[in-house]
Amino acid sequence: MMEINLPAYEMRVREQRGRHEVFDFLRRRYVALTPEEWVRQHFVHYLVEHKGYPKGLLANEMELRVGEKRLRCDTVLYNNVLQPLMIMEYKAPSVPITQRVFDQITAYNILLHVDYLVVSNGLQHYCCRMDYEGRSYTFLKEIPDYSMLNA
């Protein structure tokens, strides 16, 4: 996998039936090691190990339902009363962060109504704080430490 703009961690990888898998410590199982999963695993470890996010309040691949349609959030951070606080959307490093990516995460947010949206392709990371009263959002200079969130 290619080098990305996130700290390295001790990744548990195995080969199973000719494909590489990585251990997802949130889902507690091995999953296919795709370029997007490479970004997700590094990003989640970054949040836990460097930004102080409690791993018990993070969930990968959260399914949302809108009628018959099923959507999957890459990662959701919950607050202490298990209300969604932040949605994270990951792309492979080869995928540029475009308006379409923001449209995707915004669709999830219509259902979850979170305070923070994060998008990363491992090379670039964007975080914005929602202001529902003012009907606006503010891009932050960096991903906030967990202690800075209104969790």
Side-chain angles (χ1 to χ4, degrees), residues 1 11 13 19-22 31-35 37-38 41:
M1 293 284 161
M11 186 177 270
V13 177
R19 73 176 195 172
H20 288 92
E21 296 180 331
V22 61
V31 296
L33 181 53
T34 63
E37 193 63 43
W38 174 260
Q41 292 304 317

Side-chain angles (χ1 to χ4, degrees), residues 78-145:
Y78 294 90
N79 63 19
N80 291 327
V81 293
L82 301 181
Q83 295 171 320
L85 181 64
M86 179 184 285
I87 303 171
M88 285 143 274
E89 178 65 27
Y90 311 111
K91 297 298 178 191
S94 61
V95 176
I97 303 298
T98 63
Q99 184 61 49
R100 185 175 176 166
V101 176
F102 282 99
D103 292 345
Q104 181 181 2
I105 198 169
T106 301
Y108 301 153
N109 197 36
I110 289 170
L111 298 170
L112 296 180
H113 205 74
V114 299
D115 292 340
Y116 298 91
L117 300 177
V118 175
V119 175
S120 176
N121 64 3
L123 301 171
Q124 298 175 297
H125 323 292
Y126 297 96
C127 179
C128 61
R129 180 175 171 87
M130 304 302 295
D131 176 2
Y132 294 102
E133 265 186 42
R135 293 183 167 184
S136 66
Y137 54 88
T138 304
F139 279 95
L140 306 179
K141 292 182 186 203
E142 62 182 54
I143 308 299
D145 290 345

Side-chain angles (χ1 to χ4, degrees), residues 3-4 10 14 25 28 31 35 42 45 48 54 69 77 104 107 113 122 131 133 138 146 149:
E3 194 169 316
I4 56 177
E10 197 149 330
R14 72 179 186 188
F25 77 120
R28 296 183 188 100
V31 296
H42 279 84
H45 277 82
V48 171
K69 190 173 184 178
L77 170 70
Q104 181 181 2
H113 205 74
D131 176 2
E133 265 186 42
T138 304
Y146 182 75
L149 303 177

